[in-house]
Amino acid sequence: MANIVVPFMQDNFPEGNGILQQDGARPHTACATQQYIADNNISLLNCAIEHVWGELKRSVYTRPNQPVNVQQLEDAVIEEWNAISQAFIANLVQSMRHRCVA
């Protein structure tokens, strides 16, 4: 991170106003990484889209009638997107509040 992310952020956001977005990969969520981010005042965008995308994929792939063309796939994705429960979203938001404790 120190060799790639910090120089990138400094080059592209010299005023320190950049926001880094990470995915849920283990190296990104490791306590050491989180501590480095905190120690270096790197702003993070908490984005849970990967979890939502995973839920959407599972919902589409477990439908009894699988889409067989692009239009059916589009329709299925829209239906499943609209069916994602507020409880799922609330749990996802709650899980984002987890912080590493050294």
Side-chain angles (χ1 to χ4, degrees):
M1 176 172 278
N3 295 335
I4 297 172
V5 174
V6 172
F8 175 84
M9 296 297 282
Q10 290 170 341
D11 289 347
N12 291 282
F13 304 98
E15 296 177 18
N17 59 346
I19 299 174
L20 179 65
Q21 179 179 348
Q22 301 185 95
D23 60 18
R26 285 189 182 177
H28 298 168
T29 60
C31 286
T33 302
Q34 295 301 311
Q35 189 62 53
Y36 182 88
I37 288 168
D39 291 347
N40 289 279
N41 297 316
I42 298 172
S43 297
L44 285 179
L45 175 65
N46 288 324
C47 184
I49 193 67
E50 284 195 47
H51 298 289
V52 176
W53 178 241
E55 178 69 14
L56 186 59
K57 283 178 18 181
R58 278 187 292 282
S59 297
V60 170
Y61 288 134
T62 58
R63 291 169 68 98
N65 297 314
Q66 289 293 299
V68 294
N69 60 44
V70 174
Q71 185 60 56
Q72 288 180 5
L73 177 59
E74 182 179 328
D75 293 344
V77 168
I78 290 170
E79 280 180 33
E80 297 301 336
W81 175 264
N82 290 329
I84 293 175
S85 73
Q86 288 301 305
F88 173 80
I89 300 299
N91 287 337
L92 189 56
V93 169
Q94 186 67 22
S95 74
M96 291 171 56
R97 294 183 179 160
H98 170 77
R99 301 208 182 234
C100 290
V101 177

